[in-house]
PDB file of all heavy atoms in Angstrom:
ATOM      1  N   GLU W 108     -18.603   5.392 -13.193  1.00 66.00           N
ATOM      2  CA  GLU W 108     -17.497   6.322 -13.397  1.00 66.00           C
ATOM      3  C   GLU W 108     -16.276   5.874 -12.578  1.00 66.00           C
ATOM      4  O   GLU W 108     -16.420   5.400 -11.452  1.00 66.00           O
ATOM      5  CB  GLU W 108     -17.927   7.726 -12.958  1.00 66.00           C
ATOM      6  CG  GLU W 108     -19.030   8.321 -13.800  1.00 66.00           C
ATOM      7  CD  GLU W 108     -18.550   8.639 -15.203  1.00 66.00           C
ATOM      8  OE1 GLU W 108     -17.316   8.853 -15.371  1.00 66.00           O
ATOM      9  OE2 GLU W 108     -19.378   8.649 -16.128  1.00 66.00           O
ATOM     10  N   PRO W 109     -15.069   5.999 -13.124  1.00 61.00           N
ATOM     11  CA  PRO W 109     -13.866   5.626 -12.341  1.00 61.00           C
ATOM     12  C   PRO W 109     -13.674   6.598 -11.166  1.00 61.00           C
ATOM     13  O   PRO W 109     -14.097   7.747 -11.226  1.00 61.00           O
ATOM     14  CB  PRO W 109     -12.752   5.754 -13.372  1.00 61.00           C
ATOM     15  CG  PRO W 109     -13.253   6.730 -14.374  1.00 61.00           C
ATOM     16  CD  PRO W 109     -14.735   6.507 -14.466  1.00 61.00           C
ATOM     17  N   PRO W 110     -13.053   6.116 -10.053  1.00 63.00           N
ATOM     18  CA  PRO W 110     -12.807   7.018  -8.913  1.00 63.00           C
ATOM     19  C   PRO W 110     -11.855   8.133  -9.299  1.00 63.00           C
ATOM     20  O   PRO W 110     -11.122   8.045 -10.294  1.00 63.00           O
ATOM     21  CB  PRO W 110     -12.190   6.085  -7.864  1.00 63.00           C
ATOM     22  CG  PRO W 110     -11.612   4.943  -8.648  1.00 63.00           C
ATOM     23  CD  PRO W 110     -12.521   4.773  -9.838  1.00 63.00           C
ATOM     24  N   GLU W 111     -11.856   9.192  -8.466  1.00 66.00           N
ATOM     25  CA  GLU W 111     -11.071  10.375  -8.799  1.00 66.00           C
ATOM     26  C   GLU W 111      -9.570  10.076  -8.807  1.00 66.00           C
ATOM     27  O   GLU W 111      -8.812  10.711  -9.537  1.00 66.00           O
ATOM     28  CB  GLU W 111     -11.376  11.497  -7.804  1.00 66.00           C
ATOM     29  CG  GLU W 111     -12.817  11.997  -7.897  1.00 66.00           C
ATOM     30  CD  GLU W 111     -13.072  13.126  -6.918  1.00 66.00           C
ATOM     31  OE1 GLU W 111     -12.131  13.474  -6.176  1.00 66.00           O
ATOM     32  OE2 GLU W 111     -14.193  13.669  -6.909  1.00 66.00           O
ATOM     33  N   ASP W 112      -9.137   9.143  -7.909  1.00 62.00           N
ATOM     34  CA  ASP W 112      -7.705   8.857  -7.839  1.00 62.00           C
ATOM     35  C   ASP W 112      -7.294   7.715  -8.767  1.00 62.00           C
ATOM     36  O   ASP W 112      -6.187   7.191  -8.671  1.00 62.00           O
ATOM     37  CB  ASP W 112      -7.296   8.521  -6.409  1.00 62.00           C
ATOM     38  CG  ASP W 112      -8.038   7.284  -5.889  1.00 62.00           C
ATOM     39  OD1 ASP W 112      -9.001   6.867  -6.552  1.00 62.00           O
ATOM     40  OD2 ASP W 112      -7.641   6.772  -4.820  1.00 62.00           O
ATOM     41  N   HIS W 113      -8.196   7.280  -9.663  1.00 63.00           N
ATOM     42  CA  HIS W 113      -7.893   6.190 -10.580  1.00 63.00           C
ATOM     43  C   HIS W 113      -6.993   6.696 -11.699  1.00 63.00           C
ATOM     44  O   HIS W 113      -7.324   7.655 -12.388  1.00 63.00           O
ATOM     45  CB  HIS W 113      -9.185   5.618 -11.185  1.00 63.00           C
ATOM     46  CG  HIS W 113      -8.929   4.421 -12.070  1.00 63.00           C
ATOM     47  ND1 HIS W 113      -8.621   3.191 -11.561  1.00 63.00           N
ATOM     48  CD2 HIS W 113      -8.952   4.286 -13.429  1.00 63.00           C
ATOM     49  CE1 HIS W 113      -8.449   2.334 -12.552  1.00 63.00           C
ATOM     50  NE2 HIS W 113      -8.647   2.982 -13.708  1.00 63.00           N
ATOM     51  N   PRO W 114      -5.822   6.055 -11.897  1.00 61.00           N
ATOM     52  CA  PRO W 114      -4.928   6.546 -12.961  1.00 61.00           C
ATOM     53  C   PRO W 114      -5.508   6.218 -14.336  1.00 61.00           C
ATOM     54  O   PRO W 114      -5.952   5.092 -14.578  1.00 61.00           O
ATOM     55  CB  PRO W 114      -3.633   5.772 -12.702  1.00 61.00           C
ATOM     56  CG  PRO W 114      -4.049   4.534 -11.972  1.00 61.00           C
ATOM     57  CD  PRO W 114      -5.252   4.936 -11.160  1.00 61.00           C
ATOM     58  N   GLU W 115      -5.496   7.209 -15.201  1.00 69.00           N
ATOM     59  CA  GLU W 115      -6.052   7.024 -16.528  1.00 69.00           C
ATOM     60  C   GLU W 115      -4.997   7.079 -17.627  1.00 69.00           C
ATOM     61  O   GLU W 115      -5.304   6.881 -18.791  1.00 69.00           O
ATOM     62  CB  GLU W 115      -7.122   8.087 -16.791  1.00 69.00           C
ATOM     63  CG  GLU W 115      -8.312   7.985 -15.852  1.00 69.00           C
ATOM     64  CD  GLU W 115      -9.364   9.035 -16.174  1.00 69.00           C
ATOM     65  OE1 GLU W 115      -9.088   9.879 -17.043  1.00 69.00           O
ATOM     66  OE2 GLU W 115     -10.439   9.005 -15.549  1.00 69.00           O
ATOM     67  N   HIS W 116      -3.746   7.337 -17.230  1.00 69.00           N
ATOM     68  CA  HIS W 116      -2.703   7.433 -18.243  1.00 69.00           C
ATOM     69  C   HIS W 116      -2.452   6.050 -18.838  1.00 69.00           C
ATOM     70  O   HIS W 116      -2.528   5.024 -18.161  1.00 69.00           O
ATOM     71  CB  HIS W 116      -1.418   7.991 -17.637  1.00 69.00           C
ATOM     72  CG  HIS W 116      -0.424   8.441 -18.663  1.00 69.00           C
ATOM     73  ND1 HIS W 116       0.419   7.558 -19.306  1.00 69.00           N
ATOM     74  CD2 HIS W 116      -0.145   9.680 -19.148  1.00 69.00           C
ATOM     75  CE1 HIS W 116       1.183   8.229 -20.140  1.00 69.00           C
ATOM     76  NE2 HIS W 116       0.860   9.522 -20.081  1.00 69.00           N
ATOM     77  N   ALA W 117      -2.112   6.014 -20.112  1.00 70.00           N
ATOM     78  CA  ALA W 117      -1.929   4.738 -20.806  1.00 70.00           C
ATOM     79  C   ALA W 117      -0.815   3.901 -20.193  1.00 70.00           C
ATOM     80  O   ALA W 117      -0.869   2.671 -20.186  1.00 70.00           O
ATOM     81  CB  ALA W 117      -1.651   4.998 -22.293  1.00 70.00           C
ATOM     82  N   LEU W 118       0.220   4.555 -19.637  1.00 68.00           N
ATOM     83  CA  LEU W 118       1.328   3.814 -19.039  1.00 68.00           C
ATOM     84  C   LEU W 118       0.952   3.151 -17.718  1.00 68.00           C
ATOM     85  O   LEU W 118       1.660   2.276 -17.234  1.00 68.00           O
ATOM     86  CB  LEU W 118       2.515   4.753 -18.817  1.00 68.00           C
ATOM     87  CG  LEU W 118       3.154   5.340 -20.084  1.00 68.00           C
ATOM     88  CD1 LEU W 118       4.255   6.319 -19.710  1.00 68.00           C
ATOM     89  CD2 LEU W 118       3.700   4.222 -20.971  1.00 68.00           C
ATOM     90  N   LEU W 119      -0.186   3.559 -17.144  1.00 66.00           N
ATOM     91  CA  LEU W 119      -0.566   3.046 -15.834  1.00 66.00           C
ATOM     92  C   LEU W 119      -1.745   2.091 -15.891  1.00 66.00           C
ATOM     93  O   LEU W 119      -2.213   1.641 -14.848  1.00 66.00           O
ATOM     94  CB  LEU W 119      -0.914   4.222 -14.914  1.00 66.00           C
ATOM     95  CG  LEU W 119       0.168   5.300 -14.745  1.00 66.00           C
ATOM     96  CD1 LEU W 119      -0.347   6.411 -13.866  1.00 66.00           C
ATOM     97  CD2 LEU W 119       1.443   4.700 -14.181  1.00 66.00           C
ATOM     98  N   THR W 120      -2.194   1.783 -17.085  1.00 69.00           N
ATOM     99  CA  THR W 120      -3.413   0.970 -17.171  1.00 69.00           C
ATOM    100  C   THR W 120      -3.226  -0.452 -16.668  1.00 69.00           C
ATOM    101  O   THR W 120      -4.163  -1.091 -16.213  1.00 69.00           O
ATOM    102  CB  THR W 120      -3.906   0.934 -18.628  1.00 69.00           C
ATOM    103  OG1 THR W 120      -2.828   0.482 -19.468  1.00 69.00           O
ATOM    104  CG2 THR W 120      -4.354   2.316 -19.086  1.00 69.00           C
ATOM    105  N   GLU W 121      -1.978  -0.979 -16.735  1.00 71.00           N
ATOM    106  CA  GLU W 121      -1.737  -2.357 -16.319  1.00 71.00           C
ATOM    107  C   GLU W 121      -1.330  -2.467 -14.848  1.00 71.00           C
ATOM    108  O   GLU W 121      -1.106  -3.567 -14.353  1.00 71.00           O
ATOM    109  CB  GLU W 121      -0.644  -2.972 -17.202  1.00 71.00           C
ATOM    110  CG  GLU W 121      -0.955  -2.995 -18.696  1.00 71.00           C
ATOM    111  CD  GLU W 121      -2.187  -3.836 -18.972  1.00 71.00           C
ATOM    112  OE1 GLU W 121      -2.399  -4.833 -18.235  1.00 71.00           O
ATOM    113  OE2 GLU W 121      -2.922  -3.506 -19.914  1.00 71.00           O
ATOM    114  N   LEU W 122      -1.214  -1.345 -14.159  1.00 69.00           N
ATOM    115  CA  LEU W 122      -0.790  -1.371 -12.750  1.00 69.00           C
ATOM    116  C   LEU W 122      -1.980  -1.624 -11.840  1.00 69.00           C
ATOM    117  O   LEU W 122      -3.102  -1.211 -12.133  1.00 69.00           O
ATOM    118  CB  LEU W 122      -0.121  -0.049 -12.366  1.00 69.00           C
ATOM    119  CG  LEU W 122       1.179   0.287 -13.108  1.00 69.00           C
ATOM    120  CD1 LEU W 122       1.730   1.620 -12.610  1.00 69.00           C
ATOM    121  CD2 LEU W 122       2.215  -0.824 -12.909  1.00 69.00           C
ATOM    122  N   GLU W 123      -1.711  -2.312 -10.747  1.00 71.00           N
ATOM    123  CA  GLU W 123      -2.743  -2.542  -9.738  1.00 71.00           C
ATOM    124  C   GLU W 123      -2.579  -1.537  -8.598  1.00 71.00           C
ATOM    125  O   GLU W 123      -1.457  -1.193  -8.212  1.00 71.00           O
ATOM    126  CB  GLU W 123      -2.639  -3.961  -9.196  1.00 71.00           C
ATOM    127  CG  GLU W 123      -2.933  -5.049 -10.237  1.00 71.00           C
ATOM    128  CD  GLU W 123      -2.894  -6.419  -9.619  1.00 71.00           C
ATOM    129  OE1 GLU W 123      -2.670  -6.508  -8.391  1.00 71.00           O
ATOM    130  OE2 GLU W 123      -3.085  -7.404 -10.362  1.00 71.00           O
ATOM    131  N   ALA W 124      -3.690  -1.116  -8.109  1.00 66.00           N
ATOM    132  CA  ALA W 124      -3.650  -0.171  -6.988  1.00 66.00           C
ATOM    133  C   ALA W 124      -3.047  -0.845  -5.757  1.00 66.00           C
ATOM    134  O   ALA W 124      -3.275  -2.036  -5.521  1.00 66.00           O
ATOM    135  CB  ALA W 124      -5.064   0.323  -6.677  1.00 66.00           C
ATOM    136  N   PRO W 125      -2.233  -0.139  -4.967  1.00 67.00           N
ATOM    137  CA  PRO W 125      -1.640  -0.743  -3.763  1.00 67.00           C
ATOM    138  C   PRO W 125      -2.717  -1.050  -2.725  1.00 67.00           C
ATOM    139  O   PRO W 125      -3.739  -0.377  -2.654  1.00 67.00           O
ATOM    140  CB  PRO W 125      -0.683   0.344  -3.260  1.00 67.00           C
ATOM    141  CG  PRO W 125      -1.272   1.620  -3.775  1.00 67.00           C
ATOM    142  CD  PRO W 125      -1.875   1.280  -5.110  1.00 67.00           C
ATOM    143  N   PRO W 126      -2.503  -2.083  -1.935  1.00 66.00           N
ATOM    144  CA  PRO W 126      -3.497  -2.402  -0.900  1.00 66.00           C
ATOM    145  C   PRO W 126      -3.546  -1.304   0.153  1.00 66.00           C
ATOM    146  O   PRO W 126      -2.518  -0.742   0.539  1.00 66.00           O
ATOM    147  CB  PRO W 126      -2.977  -3.725  -0.321  1.00 66.00           C
ATOM    148  CG  PRO W 126      -1.510  -3.719  -0.616  1.00 66.00           C
ATOM    149  CD  PRO W 126      -1.352  -2.984  -1.923  1.00 66.00           C
ATOM    150  N   LEU W 127      -4.710  -0.988   0.612  1.00 69.00           N
ATOM    151  CA  LEU W 127      -4.900   0.071   1.604  1.00 69.00           C
ATOM    152  C   LEU W 127      -5.433  -0.510   2.900  1.00 69.00           C
ATOM    153  O   LEU W 127      -6.115  -1.535   2.918  1.00 69.00           O
ATOM    154  CB  LEU W 127      -5.861   1.135   1.080  1.00 69.00           C
ATOM    155  CG  LEU W 127      -5.456   1.824  -0.223  1.00 69.00           C
ATOM    156  CD1 LEU W 127      -6.526   2.812  -0.659  1.00 69.00           C
ATOM    157  CD2 LEU W 127      -4.122   2.522  -0.056  1.00 69.00           C
ATOM    158  N   ASN W 128      -5.098   0.177   4.015  1.00 69.00           N
ATOM    159  CA  ASN W 128      -5.633  -0.168   5.337  1.00 69.00           C
ATOM    160  C   ASN W 128      -5.311  -1.595   5.763  1.00 69.00           C
ATOM    161  O   ASN W 128      -6.113  -2.272   6.404  1.00 69.00           O
ATOM    162  CB  ASN W 128      -7.161   0.029   5.371  1.00 69.00           C
ATOM    163  CG  ASN W 128      -7.539   1.471   5.115  1.00 69.00           C
ATOM    164  OD1 ASN W 128      -6.797   2.370   5.510  1.00 69.00           O
ATOM    165  ND2 ASN W 128      -8.643   1.684   4.435  1.00 69.00           N
ATOM    166  N   ARG W 129      -4.107  -2.040   5.367  1.00 69.00           N
ATOM    167  CA  ARG W 129      -3.695  -3.343   5.858  1.00 69.00           C
ATOM    168  C   ARG W 129      -3.313  -3.245   7.338  1.00 69.00           C
ATOM    169  O   ARG W 129      -2.683  -2.270   7.747  1.00 69.00           O
ATOM    170  CB  ARG W 129      -2.488  -3.842   5.067  1.00 69.00           C
ATOM    171  CG  ARG W 129      -2.854  -4.442   3.720  1.00 69.00           C
ATOM    172  CD  ARG W 129      -1.659  -5.125   3.102  1.00 69.00           C
ATOM    173  NE  ARG W 129      -2.005  -5.836   1.886  1.00 69.00           N
ATOM    174  CZ  ARG W 129      -1.128  -6.538   1.180  1.00 69.00           C
ATOM    175  NH1 ARG W 129       0.129  -6.613   1.560  1.00 69.00           N
ATOM    176  NH2 ARG W 129      -1.522  -7.157   0.082  1.00 69.00           N
ATOM    177  N   PRO W 130      -3.673  -4.236   8.131  1.00 69.00           N
ATOM    178  CA  PRO W 130      -3.299  -4.173   9.551  1.00 69.00           C
ATOM    179  C   PRO W 130      -1.787  -4.273   9.713  1.00 69.00           C
ATOM    180  O   PRO W 130      -1.120  -5.040   9.011  1.00 69.00           O
ATOM    181  CB  PRO W 130      -4.016  -5.388  10.153  1.00 69.00           C
ATOM    182  CG  PRO W 130      -4.220  -6.319   9.007  1.00 69.00           C
ATOM    183  CD  PRO W 130      -4.443  -5.437   7.801  1.00 69.00           C
ATOM    184  N   LEU W 131      -1.251  -3.454  10.641  1.00 70.00           N
ATOM    185  CA  LEU W 131       0.177  -3.456  10.913  1.00 70.00           C
ATOM    186  C   LEU W 131       0.494  -4.594  11.876  1.00 70.00           C
ATOM    187  O   LEU W 131      -0.069  -4.679  12.974  1.00 70.00           O
ATOM    188  CB  LEU W 131       0.610  -2.112  11.513  1.00 70.00           C
ATOM    189  CG  LEU W 131       2.078  -1.995  11.881  1.00 70.00           C
ATOM    190  CD1 LEU W 131       2.953  -2.107  10.628  1.00 70.00           C
ATOM    191  CD2 LEU W 131       2.342  -0.663  12.591  1.00 70.00           C
ATOM    192  N   VAL W 132       1.380  -5.455  11.475  1.00 72.00           N
ATOM    193  CA  VAL W 132       1.781  -6.580  12.317  1.00 72.00           C
ATOM    194  C   VAL W 132       3.121  -6.216  12.963  1.00 72.00           C
ATOM    195  O   VAL W 132       4.137  -6.080  12.273  1.00 72.00           O
ATOM    196  CB  VAL W 132       1.909  -7.869  11.495  1.00 72.00           C
ATOM    197  CG1 VAL W 132       2.360  -9.021  12.383  1.00 72.00           C
ATOM    198  CG2 VAL W 132       0.582  -8.197  10.817  1.00 72.00           C
ATOM    199  N   ALA W 133       3.110  -6.025  14.264  1.00 69.00           N
ATOM    200  CA  ALA W 133       4.323  -5.642  14.993  1.00 69.00           C
ATOM    201  C   ALA W 133       4.828  -6.815  15.808  1.00 69.00           C
ATOM    202  O   ALA W 133       4.045  -7.548  16.423  1.00 69.00           O
ATOM    203  CB  ALA W 133       4.027  -4.455  15.916  1.00 69.00           C
ATOM    204  N   THR W 134       6.126  -6.998  15.796  1.00 72.00           N
ATOM    205  CA  THR W 134       6.737  -8.059  16.601  1.00 72.00           C
ATOM    206  C   THR W 134       7.519  -7.419  17.735  1.00 72.00           C
ATOM    207  O   THR W 134       8.258  -6.456  17.523  1.00 72.00           O
ATOM    208  CB  THR W 134       7.671  -8.909  15.735  1.00 72.00           C
ATOM    209  OG1 THR W 134       8.663  -8.066  15.130  1.00 72.00           O
ATOM    210  CG2 THR W 134       6.887  -9.625  14.646  1.00 72.00           C
ATOM    211  N   SER W 135       7.334  -7.927  18.906  1.00 72.00           N
ATOM    212  CA  SER W 135       8.035  -7.365  20.067  1.00 72.00           C
ATOM    213  C   SER W 135       9.483  -7.823  20.065  1.00 72.00           C
ATOM    214  O   SER W 135       9.800  -8.953  19.719  1.00 72.00           O
ATOM    215  CB  SER W 135       7.348  -7.813  21.360  1.00 72.00           C
ATOM    216  OG  SER W 135       7.360  -9.213  21.467  1.00 72.00           O
ATOM    217  N   VAL W 136      10.370  -6.880  20.462  1.00 71.00           N
ATOM    218  CA  VAL W 136      11.804  -7.162  20.557  1.00 71.00           C
ATOM    219  C   VAL W 136      12.213  -7.001  22.013  1.00 71.00           C
ATOM    220  O   VAL W 136      12.021  -5.934  22.608  1.00 71.00           O
ATOM    221  CB  VAL W 136      12.624  -6.220  19.661  1.00 71.00           C
ATOM    222  CG1 VAL W 136      14.106  -6.503  19.818  1.00 71.00           C
ATOM    223  CG2 VAL W 136      12.188  -6.368  18.209  1.00 71.00           C
ATOM    224  N   LYS W 137      12.751  -8.028  22.577  1.00 71.00           N
ATOM    225  CA  LYS W 137      13.165  -7.971  23.976  1.00 71.00           C
ATOM    226  C   LYS W 137      14.421  -7.116  24.102  1.00 71.00           C
ATOM    227  O   LYS W 137      15.441  -7.383  23.455  1.00 71.00           O
ATOM    228  CB  LYS W 137      13.450  -9.382  24.494  1.00 71.00           C
ATOM    229  CG  LYS W 137      13.735  -9.417  25.988  1.00 71.00           C
ATOM    230  CD  LYS W 137      13.926 -10.858  26.462  1.00 71.00           C
ATOM    231  CE  LYS W 137      14.184 -10.887  27.964  1.00 71.00           C
ATOM    232  NZ  LYS W 137      14.373 -12.279  28.451  1.00 71.00           N
ATOM    233  N   PRO W 138      14.364  -6.031  24.890  1.00 70.00           N
ATOM    234  CA  PRO W 138      15.542  -5.158  24.991  1.00 70.00           C
ATOM    235  C   PRO W 138      16.700  -5.872  25.680  1.00 70.00           C
ATOM    236  O   PRO W 138      16.507  -6.692  26.573  1.00 70.00           O
ATOM    237  CB  PRO W 138      15.030  -3.980  25.837  1.00 70.00           C
ATOM    238  CG  PRO W 138      13.896  -4.555  26.629  1.00 70.00           C
ATOM    239  CD  PRO W 138      13.254  -5.595  25.746  1.00 70.00           C
ATOM    240  N   LYS W 139      17.888  -5.539  25.230  1.00 72.00           N
ATOM    241  CA  LYS W 139      19.075  -6.113  25.847  1.00 72.00           C
ATOM    242  C   LYS W 139      19.319  -5.446  27.202  1.00 72.00           C
ATOM    243  O   LYS W 139      19.187  -4.224  27.333  1.00 72.00           O
ATOM    244  CB  LYS W 139      20.288  -5.911  24.941  1.00 72.00           C
ATOM    245  CG  LYS W 139      20.197  -6.648  23.622  1.00 72.00           C
ATOM    246  CD  LYS W 139      21.463  -6.433  22.791  1.00 72.00           C
ATOM    247  CE  LYS W 139      21.378  -7.192  21.477  1.00 72.00           C
ATOM    248  NZ  LYS W 139      22.598  -6.992  20.664  1.00 72.00           N
ATOM    249  N   PRO W 140      19.665  -6.213  28.206  1.00 68.00           N
ATOM    250  CA  PRO W 140      19.923  -5.600  29.520  1.00 68.00           C
ATOM    251  C   PRO W 140      21.128  -4.680  29.477  1.00 68.00           C
ATOM    252  O   PRO W 140      22.137  -4.988  28.829  1.00 68.00           O
ATOM    253  CB  PRO W 140      20.177  -6.815  30.427  1.00 68.00           C
ATOM    254  CG  PRO W 140      20.613  -7.905  29.490  1.00 68.00           C
ATOM    255  CD  PRO W 140      19.868  -7.670  28.212  1.00 68.00           C
ATOM    256  N   ILE W 141      21.012  -3.534  30.134  1.00 62.00           N
ATOM    257  CA  ILE W 141      22.092  -2.560  30.187  1.00 62.00           C
ATOM    258  C   ILE W 141      22.844  -2.752  31.498  1.00 62.00           C
ATOM    259  O   ILE W 141      22.246  -2.652  32.575  1.00 62.00           O
ATOM    260  CB  ILE W 141      21.544  -1.125  30.090  1.00 62.00           C
ATOM    261  CG1 ILE W 141      20.786  -0.961  28.767  1.00 62.00           C
ATOM    262  CG2 ILE W 141      22.670  -0.098  30.190  1.00 62.00           C
ATOM    263  CD1 ILE W 141      20.116   0.390  28.632  1.00 62.00           C
TER     264      ILE W 141
END
């Protein structure tokens, strides 16, 4: 059976589900001296 959040509308059949739980990659920014 398809999952509950699986789109079944005909206009959405060719769409791919967005990736979930991707790790957040953060880059540090050195603050400017005040």
Side-chain angles (χ1 to χ4, degrees):
E108 295 291 335
E111 295 181 359
D112 61 348
H113 184 75
E115 297 182 354
H116 195 279
L118 295 176
L119 304 177
T120 54
E121 301 298 327
L122 297 181
E123 295 183 2
L127 302 178
N128 298 327
R129 280 190 174 181
L131 178 64
V132 179
T134 57
S135 60
V136 178
K137 187 176 181 180
K139 295 182 179 180
I141 300 175

